[in-house]
Amino acid sequence: MDTTEFRRRGKEMVDLIADYLENIEQRTVYPDVEPGYLRSLIPEEAPEEPDTYEDVVKDIERVIMPGVTHWHSPYFYAYFPTANSFPAMLADMLSGAIGCIGFSWAASPACTELETVMMDWLGKMLKLPEDFIAGTHGQGGGVIQGTASEATLVALLAARCRAVRMILASDPQRPETGITSKLVAYSSDQAHCSVERAGMIAGVRMKKIPTEQSDKYAVQGETLRRMIQEDKAAGLIPFYVRTEHTHPLLRNAEKIWMHIDAAYAGSSFICPEFRPLLNGIEFADSFNFNAHKWLLVNFDCSTMWVKKRSDLIGAFEMDPLYLKHDHQESGRYFCTDNSLFRSLKMWFVFRIYGLKGLQDYIRKHVELAKEFESLVRADQRFEISADVVLGLVCFRLKGSNEVNETLLKRINNGRKIHLVPCLLSGQFVLRFALCARTTESRHIREAWQLITQLAEEVMQELPH
Amino acid sequence: MDTTEFRRRGKEMVDLIADYLENIEQRTVYPDVEPGYLRSLIPEEAPEEPDTYEDVVKDIERVIMPGVTHWHSPYFYAYFPTANSFPAMLADMLSGAIGCIGFSWAASPACTELETVMMDWLGKMLKLPEDFIAGTHGQGGGVIQGTASEATLVALLAARCRAVRMILASDPQRPETGITSKLVAYSSDQAHCSVERAGMIAGVRMKKIPTEQSDKYAVQGETLRRMIQEDKAAGLIPFYVRTEHTHPLLRNAEKIWMHIDAAYAGSSFICPEFRPLLNGIEFADSFNFNAHKWLLVNFDCSTMWVKKRSDLIGAFEMDPLYLKHDHQESGRYFCTDNSLFRSLKMWFVFRIYGLKGLQDYIRKHVELAKEFESLVRADQRFEISADVVLGLVCFRLKGSNEVNETLLKRINNGRKIHLVPCLLSGQFVLRFALCARTTESRHIREAWQLITQLAEEVMQELPH
C-alpha cells in the first residue's frame, strides 16, 4: 500500500470509525459468542499472496464486531470508563505516523519534552503541590505509564531501592537479600488485584490493611499505625504504603514511601469541588491516576508524578553506550520504558476541550450518577451499598446474594446493558459505572427501567 | 468535536500524515535543538477555553517537528528499525475507535481471540515447533507484550515462580525468601541493559556470561556449563537463561528455563534462508521477538510464545470477582496486562502484505546491508567489526577509538544521516542499521559518500 492508496483508505477508515461511533447504540453492547468463535471464521494460516483491502474491511463486520464488547456504547456500565475522544484519536494517528521510540531525550527530543510539559500542565490542573512539577528547575515531575498497575510497580521498586540504600548507608555489611526479605509493603484490602501482583513481582511482602464498611472502606490511620508497629517489633522493615487516600500517620518522620493511586477518581480533581479528595497529597512521594479512564485521553496514558525524579532514575538507570548522547547530563529527563509519542494525545485533548470543557465532562458524568442513585433510592426494593461520590453507583436488591447474582446474570444475558459485580463486606453488589462519553439521561432511565423489570421477574421466581 | 467535525479533521490528518511520510527525506533527520527547547514555545498552563483546531495543527510544525528525530527517514540508521506501515496505521485507527480494554476474555472476546489466532499465524510463519502453537487444544501459545524488555521480565518471573514451586514441592518447609536469595539467572554480556534491569526488578541474581569476539559474541555452551556447575557447587540455584540463541547444553535434563530473545532478528525467520538461526528453538521454554521492529507492525507489538500457557497464567493469576465471567474456565486465554486491540495491526499487515510481501521486505533490507558492507570493504581505511548477517553493519575506521568517536560526532552534527555507536571488545564501533521502510540503494550510497568525506576530514585533522 503506497501513500496514494493510504490517502484513500485512510479517509474511508475515518468514515468507518465515525459511522461506528455514531451508530454504536444500535449494537448489542455485550457480545453473544462462545469462546473460540473467531478461530473458525478465518483461515488457519496467513495468506501467501496479499488479500485485497476490500476483503479485510468486509471482515471487520463479519469477524470482529460480533465479538466486541462495546465499551463506548452508552449502554456500557461495566468495569470503569476508558477514554475515547476525537482529538485523542487524531493525535494518535499523528503519533503512529511519526512513530518515534522515546527511550531517551536524543531518540526524539520533542517526545520527551512534550511529555514533561504536558505532565506539568496536568499537574497544575490538579493543583498538585509545586514539588511534583518539573518546571525548569524542579526536582519532581511527571511521566506517562501504561497502566496504574505499572505505576504501582514502578513506585514499589523505587521505594524498595530507596529503602535498601538507606539501610546499607547505615549498615554497609548487611547482605541485600537479607534486607529485601524483611521489607513489608501495605495496601488497602479494597485495592485492585494488580497491587498484590506488584508485591509478588518485586518479591516483597504485601500486607492488606483491613477496612470496614462503617469507615466507607477507607484505610484508617490507627489500623495502619498498629500494623506498622507490630511489624517493626517483629523485626520487619515497613517501607511502602499504597492507598487511594493520603494518611496523616505518614506525615510524620516515618521513612515510608507513600504512593497514592487515584486511578479512576484522579480525573475529577480538575474540578475545585472534588479537589478536596486529594488533600494531604503534599505528604505523598508519588501520585498516579489514569488520564485514559475519565479525562478523554485514549488508552494508554496513566499519569504518574514523583517528588524526586532521582528516585525513579536511580532505581532503573542503566547507561549503555548506544543510549548515550551529548545532552546526557543537561537533559535530565526520565523515561522508564520505550514508548510512542503519548503526550500528543494530552496536548490535543487539553487544547481542544480546554480546562472548562474537561470539567463540564466530569460534572456531567457525576450528575448522571446522582440521577441513577436517586432512581435507586426511590425504589424500596433496592439499596445503595456505598456513598456515590463520583460516577459509580454500587447498589443491590435488598435480600440475598443469590437474588442479586441472578438479577445480574439476567441483565447481562439480556445484552441490552452491561454491568459487572463486586463484593463489599461479603455482599454481592451491582456496579453501575458511568462510562461512555455519549451517555445521556435517557440512557440512564432506560437502563433503570430494564433493571427494575428484570428485578421484578427475579423476585417473583426466587423465594425470599 | 463531534462526529461531523471528526470526519473532516480525520481526513485532513490522513493527508497531513501522507504528506509527512512522502516528504520526510527533506527534513533534517536528527533535530538541532537544545534540551528545554519546547517549553518556551508553548504556554505554561493548559487553556481554560478551547483552542481552535487550526491552531493545534499549526503548532505541529512550529513546536513538534523541530524536535523530532525522524525514525522513518531513509537517512535514519540509528538504534534499530521500528515498524511503520500504512496497513498497521489503518488498523490502529480502528483499534483506537473500538477502544476496548482486553484484560479478560469477556472484556472483549474478539480482542483476546484475534490475538491468540494471530500469534498462531505468526508462529506458523516462523515455523515454530507445534508446542508453541495454541490451536484448539494446544498447551502453548503466544501473547503480545509491549516490549522485549517486558517479555524478558515476564519470562523471568514465570521461571522464578516455577523454580520456587519445584523446590517447595520437594521441601515444603523451606522459607520462600530463602529460595529466592539463592536463585541465579544468566544472560549474555552482550545483552540489552533491560535484561539486567529485569533481574533487579525480580530481585534475583543476574550473571553475565562472558563472550568473545572470536566466537562472534555468541554464548558458548562450555562457558555456561562451567558457570552453572560452579554456582551449584556454591549452593546456588540456576533457574533461568536468556540468550539470543538456543543452547545444546540446556537440551538435557537441566530444569532451567530457557528464554530466547531475538528482538530484532526474529522477523527474518519468516524467510527460509534465515530460519536456521532459530534452530534449537524446540528446547526453549519461551521465545520472543519484536514484530514492531522489522515486520511492519507498528509499535507496540512484541510477540512472545511459551510452551505452557499455564506457566504464565500460574505466575500472574489473580481472580477478583469483578473479572469473573461465565466462560472463565472454558476460555483459558491469557492476557498479562490491560491492552488495546493490538492484534488488529497484525491481521491487517499479514493480509495486506501476504507472507511473500513480508519476505520481500526483509530481503530488501538485508540486500541493502550487504551493499553497504561491500562499500565499506572496498575502502582500505575502514574495517567491518562483526559479521553482517541481517540488516546491521558494524564498522569503523582502522585506528583509535578517538578517531571513530570524532567521525561519529561529525556525522551526527551534520544531521544529514543519523547513526549511534556500540562497544565491541573495547572498540568504539559505528552501527549502520537499516531502518526505514523506504530506504533504497541511492540512500545507502549517499550515506557512504558522506561518511567517507567526513572520514577524510577527520583523518587529516587527527594524528594517526
Side-chain angles (χ1 to χ4, degrees), chain B residues 260-285:
Chain B
I260 306 300
D261 181 346
Y264 164 69
S267 300
S268 74
F269 304 157
I270 63 166
C271 300
E273 66 272 33
F274 302 121
R275 177 57 178 77
L277 294 170
L278 192 61
N279 284 350
I281 186 65
E282 57 273 28
F283 302 106
D285 294 277

PDB file of all heavy atoms in Angstrom, chain B residues 260-285:
ATOM      1  N   ILE B 260      14.506 -17.370  24.773  1.00  0.00           N
ATOM      2  CA  ILE B 260      15.238 -16.897  23.603  1.00  0.00           C
ATOM      3  C   ILE B 260      14.653 -15.567  23.167  1.00  0.00           C
ATOM      4  O   ILE B 260      13.458 -15.454  22.924  1.00  0.00           O
ATOM      5  CB  ILE B 260      15.129 -17.909  22.437  1.00  0.00           C
ATOM      6  CG1 ILE B 260      15.575 -19.289  22.884  1.00  0.00           C
ATOM      7  CG2 ILE B 260      15.963 -17.429  21.239  1.00  0.00           C
ATOM      8  CD1 ILE B 260      16.995 -19.378  23.364  1.00  0.00           C
ATOM      9  N   ASP B 261      15.515 -14.566  23.099  1.00  0.00           N
ATOM     10  CA  ASP B 261      15.088 -13.217  22.736  1.00  0.00           C
ATOM     11  C   ASP B 261      15.757 -12.833  21.414  1.00  0.00           C
ATOM     12  O   ASP B 261      16.946 -12.570  21.378  1.00  0.00           O
ATOM     13  CB  ASP B 261      15.494 -12.252  23.853  1.00  0.00           C
ATOM     14  CG  ASP B 261      15.058 -10.828  23.561  1.00  0.00           C
ATOM     15  OD1 ASP B 261      14.684 -10.525  22.405  1.00  0.00           O
ATOM     16  OD2 ASP B 261      15.097 -10.002  24.489  1.00  0.00           O
ATOM     17  N   ALA B 262      14.968 -12.839  20.352  1.00  0.00           N
ATOM     18  CA  ALA B 262      15.502 -12.456  19.046  1.00  0.00           C
ATOM     19  C   ALA B 262      14.833 -11.166  18.624  1.00  0.00           C
ATOM     20  O   ALA B 262      14.271 -11.048  17.536  1.00  0.00           O
ATOM     21  CB  ALA B 262      15.238 -13.565  18.042  1.00  0.00           C
ATOM     22  N   ALA B 263      14.866 -10.170  19.516  1.00  0.00           N
ATOM     23  CA  ALA B 263      14.098  -8.936  19.378  1.00  0.00           C
ATOM     24  C   ALA B 263      14.111  -8.412  17.945  1.00  0.00           C
ATOM     25  O   ALA B 263      13.055  -8.198  17.348  1.00  0.00           O
ATOM     26  CB  ALA B 263      14.625  -7.873  20.337  1.00  0.00           C
ATOM     27  N   TYR B 264      15.302  -8.246  17.400  1.00  0.00           N
ATOM     28  CA  TYR B 264      15.407  -7.711  16.051  1.00  0.00           C
ATOM     29  C   TYR B 264      15.388  -8.825  15.003  1.00  0.00           C
ATOM     30  O   TYR B 264      14.621  -8.787  14.033  1.00  0.00           O
ATOM     31  CB  TYR B 264      16.696  -6.895  15.935  1.00  0.00           C
ATOM     32  CG  TYR B 264      17.117  -6.607  14.526  1.00  0.00           C
ATOM     33  CD1 TYR B 264      16.380  -5.736  13.736  1.00  0.00           C
ATOM     34  CD2 TYR B 264      18.240  -7.217  13.969  1.00  0.00           C
ATOM     35  CE1 TYR B 264      16.755  -5.480  12.424  1.00  0.00           C
ATOM     36  CE2 TYR B 264      18.623  -6.965  12.667  1.00  0.00           C
ATOM     37  CZ  TYR B 264      17.877  -6.095  11.893  1.00  0.00           C
ATOM     38  OH  TYR B 264      18.243  -5.846  10.601  1.00  0.00           O
ATOM     39  N   ALA B 265      16.227  -9.832  15.185  1.00  0.00           N
ATOM     40  CA  ALA B 265      16.419 -10.864  14.152  1.00  0.00           C
ATOM     41  C   ALA B 265      15.157 -11.680  13.887  1.00  0.00           C
ATOM     42  O   ALA B 265      14.952 -12.184  12.783  1.00  0.00           O
ATOM     43  CB  ALA B 265      17.556 -11.803  14.566  1.00  0.00           C
ATOM     44  N   GLY B 266      14.299 -11.797  14.890  1.00  0.00           N
ATOM     45  CA  GLY B 266      13.137 -12.682  14.791  1.00  0.00           C
ATOM     46  C   GLY B 266      12.322 -12.539  13.518  1.00  0.00           C
ATOM     47  O   GLY B 266      11.892 -13.535  12.934  1.00  0.00           O
ATOM     48  N   SER B 267      12.101 -11.308  13.085  1.00  0.00           N
ATOM     49  CA  SER B 267      11.280 -11.089  11.890  1.00  0.00           C
ATOM     50  C   SER B 267      11.834 -11.821  10.678  1.00  0.00           C
ATOM     51  O   SER B 267      11.098 -12.296   9.821  1.00  0.00           O
ATOM     52  CB  SER B 267      11.183  -9.594  11.577  1.00  0.00           C
ATOM     53  OG  SER B 267      10.592  -8.895  12.646  1.00  0.00           O
ATOM     54  N   SER B 268      13.159 -11.933  10.608  1.00  0.00           N
ATOM     55  CA  SER B 268      13.790 -12.536   9.425  1.00  0.00           C
ATOM     56  C   SER B 268      13.523 -14.033   9.343  1.00  0.00           C
ATOM     57  O   SER B 268      13.684 -14.629   8.279  1.00  0.00           O
ATOM     58  CB  SER B 268      15.302 -12.278   9.442  1.00  0.00           C
ATOM     59  OG  SER B 268      15.929 -13.100  10.414  1.00  0.00           O
ATOM     60  N   PHE B 269      13.118 -14.643  10.443  1.00  0.00           N
ATOM     61  CA  PHE B 269      12.931 -16.092  10.446  1.00  0.00           C
ATOM     62  C   PHE B 269      11.731 -16.532   9.606  1.00  0.00           C
ATOM     63  O   PHE B 269      11.525 -17.721   9.403  1.00  0.00           O
ATOM     64  CB  PHE B 269      12.805 -16.633  11.880  1.00  0.00           C
ATOM     65  CG  PHE B 269      13.965 -16.277  12.783  1.00  0.00           C
ATOM     66  CD1 PHE B 269      13.805 -16.258  14.163  1.00  0.00           C
ATOM     67  CD2 PHE B 269      15.215 -15.941  12.263  1.00  0.00           C
ATOM     68  CE1 PHE B 269      14.856 -15.926  15.003  1.00  0.00           C
ATOM     69  CE2 PHE B 269      16.280 -15.603  13.098  1.00  0.00           C
ATOM     70  CZ  PHE B 269      16.101 -15.595  14.477  1.00  0.00           C
ATOM     71  N   ILE B 270      10.957 -15.571   9.100  1.00  0.00           N
ATOM     72  CA  ILE B 270       9.887 -15.942   8.155  1.00  0.00           C
ATOM     73  C   ILE B 270      10.481 -16.285   6.781  1.00  0.00           C
ATOM     74  O   ILE B 270       9.774 -16.796   5.930  1.00  0.00           O
ATOM     75  CB  ILE B 270       8.823 -14.825   7.989  1.00  0.00           C
ATOM     76  CG1 ILE B 270       9.438 -13.561   7.382  1.00  0.00           C
ATOM     77  CG2 ILE B 270       8.132 -14.515   9.328  1.00  0.00           C
ATOM     78  CD1 ILE B 270       8.395 -12.552   6.893  1.00  0.00           C
ATOM     79  N   CYS B 271      11.752 -15.993   6.567  1.00  0.00           N
ATOM     80  CA  CYS B 271      12.424 -16.366   5.310  1.00  0.00           C
ATOM     81  C   CYS B 271      13.175 -17.670   5.533  1.00  0.00           C
ATOM     82  O   CYS B 271      13.996 -17.756   6.463  1.00  0.00           O
ATOM     83  CB  CYS B 271      13.427 -15.293   4.891  1.00  0.00           C
ATOM     84  SG  CYS B 271      12.693 -13.684   4.611  1.00  0.00           S
ATOM     85  N   PRO B 272      12.944 -18.681   4.691  1.00  0.00           N
ATOM     86  CA  PRO B 272      13.595 -19.976   4.895  1.00  0.00           C
ATOM     87  C   PRO B 272      15.108 -19.860   5.029  1.00  0.00           C
ATOM     88  O   PRO B 272      15.712 -20.594   5.806  1.00  0.00           O
ATOM     89  CB  PRO B 272      13.216 -20.759   3.634  1.00  0.00           C
ATOM     90  CG  PRO B 272      11.995 -20.098   3.117  1.00  0.00           C
ATOM     91  CD  PRO B 272      12.048 -18.665   3.526  1.00  0.00           C
ATOM     92  N   GLU B 273      15.719 -18.926   4.293  1.00  0.00           N
ATOM     93  CA  GLU B 273      17.180 -18.829   4.327  1.00  0.00           C
ATOM     94  C   GLU B 273      17.711 -18.329   5.677  1.00  0.00           C
ATOM     95  O   GLU B 273      18.880 -18.539   5.999  1.00  0.00           O
ATOM     96  CB  GLU B 273      17.703 -17.965   3.166  1.00  0.00           C
ATOM     97  CG  GLU B 273      17.326 -16.487   3.195  1.00  0.00           C
ATOM     98  CD  GLU B 273      15.985 -16.175   2.514  1.00  0.00           C
ATOM     99  OE1 GLU B 273      15.064 -17.027   2.564  1.00  0.00           O
ATOM    100  OE2 GLU B 273      15.862 -15.064   1.963  1.00  0.00           O
ATOM    101  N   PHE B 274      16.872 -17.665   6.468  1.00  0.00           N
ATOM    102  CA  PHE B 274      17.334 -17.177   7.777  1.00  0.00           C
ATOM    103  C   PHE B 274      16.829 -18.049   8.927  1.00  0.00           C
ATOM    104  O   PHE B 274      17.271 -17.928  10.059  1.00  0.00           O
ATOM    105  CB  PHE B 274      16.912 -15.716   7.994  1.00  0.00           C
ATOM    106  CG  PHE B 274      17.439 -14.796   6.936  1.00  0.00           C
ATOM    107  CD1 PHE B 274      16.587 -14.032   6.140  1.00  0.00           C
ATOM    108  CD2 PHE B 274      18.810 -14.702   6.722  1.00  0.00           C
ATOM    109  CE1 PHE B 274      17.082 -13.200   5.151  1.00  0.00           C
ATOM    110  CE2 PHE B 274      19.319 -13.858   5.733  1.00  0.00           C
ATOM    111  CZ  PHE B 274      18.453 -13.113   4.948  1.00  0.00           C
ATOM    112  N   ARG B 275      15.886 -18.932   8.617  1.00  0.00           N
ATOM    113  CA  ARG B 275      15.271 -19.745   9.671  1.00  0.00           C
ATOM    114  C   ARG B 275      16.268 -20.606  10.453  1.00  0.00           C
ATOM    115  O   ARG B 275      16.081 -20.833  11.663  1.00  0.00           O
ATOM    116  CB  ARG B 275      14.148 -20.593   9.068  1.00  0.00           C
ATOM    117  CG  ARG B 275      13.429 -21.556  10.020  1.00  0.00           C
ATOM    118  CD  ARG B 275      12.844 -20.857  11.209  1.00  0.00           C
ATOM    119  NE  ARG B 275      12.118 -21.778  12.084  1.00  0.00           N
ATOM    120  CZ  ARG B 275      12.697 -22.624  12.921  1.00  0.00           C
ATOM    121  NH1 ARG B 275      14.006 -22.719  12.968  1.00  0.00           N
ATOM    122  NH2 ARG B 275      11.956 -23.398  13.693  1.00  0.00           N
ATOM    123  N   PRO B 276      17.375 -21.047   9.810  1.00  0.00           N
ATOM    124  CA  PRO B 276      18.346 -21.838  10.584  1.00  0.00           C
ATOM    125  C   PRO B 276      18.870 -21.117  11.830  1.00  0.00           C
ATOM    126  O   PRO B 276      19.302 -21.769  12.777  1.00  0.00           O
ATOM    127  CB  PRO B 276      19.469 -22.100   9.577  1.00  0.00           C
ATOM    128  CG  PRO B 276      18.774 -22.100   8.257  1.00  0.00           C
ATOM    129  CD  PRO B 276      17.711 -21.036   8.376  1.00  0.00           C
ATOM    130  N   LEU B 277      18.835 -19.797  11.837  1.00  0.00           N
ATOM    131  CA  LEU B 277      19.290 -19.050  13.017  1.00  0.00           C
ATOM    132  C   LEU B 277      18.459 -19.404  14.248  1.00  0.00           C
ATOM    133  O   LEU B 277      18.871 -19.159  15.379  1.00  0.00           O
ATOM    134  CB  LEU B 277      19.181 -17.535  12.761  1.00  0.00           C
ATOM    135  CG  LEU B 277      20.107 -16.951  11.683  1.00  0.00           C
ATOM    136  CD1 LEU B 277      19.711 -15.518  11.363  1.00  0.00           C
ATOM    137  CD2 LEU B 277      21.563 -17.008  12.146  1.00  0.00           C
ATOM    138  N   LEU B 278      17.299 -19.980  14.003  1.00  0.00           N
ATOM    139  CA  LEU B 278      16.403 -20.302  15.125  1.00  0.00           C
ATOM    140  C   LEU B 278      16.453 -21.792  15.484  1.00  0.00           C
ATOM    141  O   LEU B 278      15.747 -22.252  16.376  1.00  0.00           O
ATOM    142  CB  LEU B 278      14.966 -19.883  14.772  1.00  0.00           C
ATOM    143  CG  LEU B 278      13.916 -19.875  15.887  1.00  0.00           C
ATOM    144  CD1 LEU B 278      14.298 -18.913  16.995  1.00  0.00           C
ATOM    145  CD2 LEU B 278      12.540 -19.534  15.348  1.00  0.00           C
ATOM    146  N   ASN B 279      17.300 -22.525  14.795  1.00  0.00           N
ATOM    147  CA  ASN B 279      17.371 -23.959  15.104  1.00  0.00           C
ATOM    148  C   ASN B 279      17.675 -24.199  16.582  1.00  0.00           C
ATOM    149  O   ASN B 279      18.455 -23.471  17.184  1.00  0.00           O
ATOM    150  CB  ASN B 279      18.431 -24.639  14.237  1.00  0.00           C
ATOM    151  CG  ASN B 279      17.937 -24.827  12.810  1.00  0.00           C
ATOM    152  OD1 ASN B 279      16.746 -24.609  12.536  1.00  0.00           O
ATOM    153  ND2 ASN B 279      18.833 -25.204  11.916  1.00  0.00           N
ATOM    154  N   GLY B 280      17.026 -25.205  17.126  1.00  0.00           N
ATOM    155  CA  GLY B 280      17.202 -25.494  18.546  1.00  0.00           C
ATOM    156  C   GLY B 280      16.089 -24.889  19.385  1.00  0.00           C
ATOM    157  O   GLY B 280      15.994 -25.143  20.585  1.00  0.00           O
ATOM    158  N   ILE B 281      15.231 -24.105  18.750  1.00  0.00           N
ATOM    159  CA  ILE B 281      14.147 -23.442  19.483  1.00  0.00           C
ATOM    160  C   ILE B 281      13.246 -24.452  20.195  1.00  0.00           C
ATOM    161  O   ILE B 281      12.600 -24.134  21.189  1.00  0.00           O
ATOM    162  CB  ILE B 281      13.324 -22.532  18.526  1.00  0.00           C
ATOM    163  CG1 ILE B 281      12.281 -21.703  19.286  1.00  0.00           C
ATOM    164  CG2 ILE B 281      12.635 -23.340  17.434  1.00  0.00           C
ATOM    165  CD1 ILE B 281      12.874 -20.701  20.237  1.00  0.00           C
ATOM    166  N   GLU B 282      13.241 -25.687  19.676  1.00  0.00           N
ATOM    167  CA  GLU B 282      12.392 -26.714  20.303  1.00  0.00           C
ATOM    168  C   GLU B 282      12.795 -26.988  21.749  1.00  0.00           C
ATOM    169  O   GLU B 282      12.035 -27.569  22.505  1.00  0.00           O
ATOM    170  CB  GLU B 282      12.404 -28.006  19.476  1.00  0.00           C
ATOM    171  CG  GLU B 282      13.766 -28.629  19.225  1.00  0.00           C
ATOM    172  CD  GLU B 282      14.472 -28.059  17.982  1.00  0.00           C
ATOM    173  OE1 GLU B 282      14.213 -26.890  17.636  1.00  0.00           O
ATOM    174  OE2 GLU B 282      15.284 -28.785  17.382  1.00  0.00           O
ATOM    175  N   PHE B 283      13.984 -26.550  22.151  1.00  0.00           N
ATOM    176  CA  PHE B 283      14.426 -26.810  23.523  1.00  0.00           C
ATOM    177  C   PHE B 283      14.153 -25.627  24.455  1.00  0.00           C
ATOM    178  O   PHE B 283      14.455 -25.682  25.640  1.00  0.00           O
ATOM    179  CB  PHE B 283      15.910 -27.161  23.525  1.00  0.00           C
ATOM    180  CG  PHE B 283      16.215 -28.351  22.663  1.00  0.00           C
ATOM    181  CD1 PHE B 283      16.838 -28.201  21.438  1.00  0.00           C
ATOM    182  CD2 PHE B 283      15.820 -29.628  23.071  1.00  0.00           C
ATOM    183  CE1 PHE B 283      17.088 -29.301  20.625  1.00  0.00           C
ATOM    184  CE2 PHE B 283      16.069 -30.732  22.258  1.00  0.00           C
ATOM    185  CZ  PHE B 283      16.698 -30.570  21.033  1.00  0.00           C
ATOM    186  N   ALA B 284      13.600 -24.547  23.911  1.00  0.00           N
ATOM    187  CA  ALA B 284      13.347 -23.352  24.732  1.00  0.00           C
ATOM    188  C   ALA B 284      11.990 -23.446  25.422  1.00  0.00           C
ATOM    189  O   ALA B 284      11.101 -24.187  24.995  1.00  0.00           O
ATOM    190  CB  ALA B 284      13.393 -22.109  23.855  1.00  0.00           C
ATOM    191  N   ASP B 285      11.852 -22.707  26.510  1.00  0.00           N
ATOM    192  CA  ASP B 285      10.565 -22.600  27.196  1.00  0.00           C
ATOM    193  C   ASP B 285       9.761 -21.422  26.680  1.00  0.00           C
ATOM    194  O   ASP B 285       8.540 -21.455  26.665  1.00  0.00           O
ATOM    195  CB  ASP B 285      10.799 -22.427  28.705  1.00  0.00           C
ATOM    196  CG  ASP B 285      11.427 -23.655  29.323  1.00  0.00           C
ATOM    197  OD1 ASP B 285      10.677 -24.585  29.627  1.00  0.00           O
ATOM    198  OD2 ASP B 285      12.668 -23.690  29.438  1.00  0.00           O
TER     199      ASP B 285
END
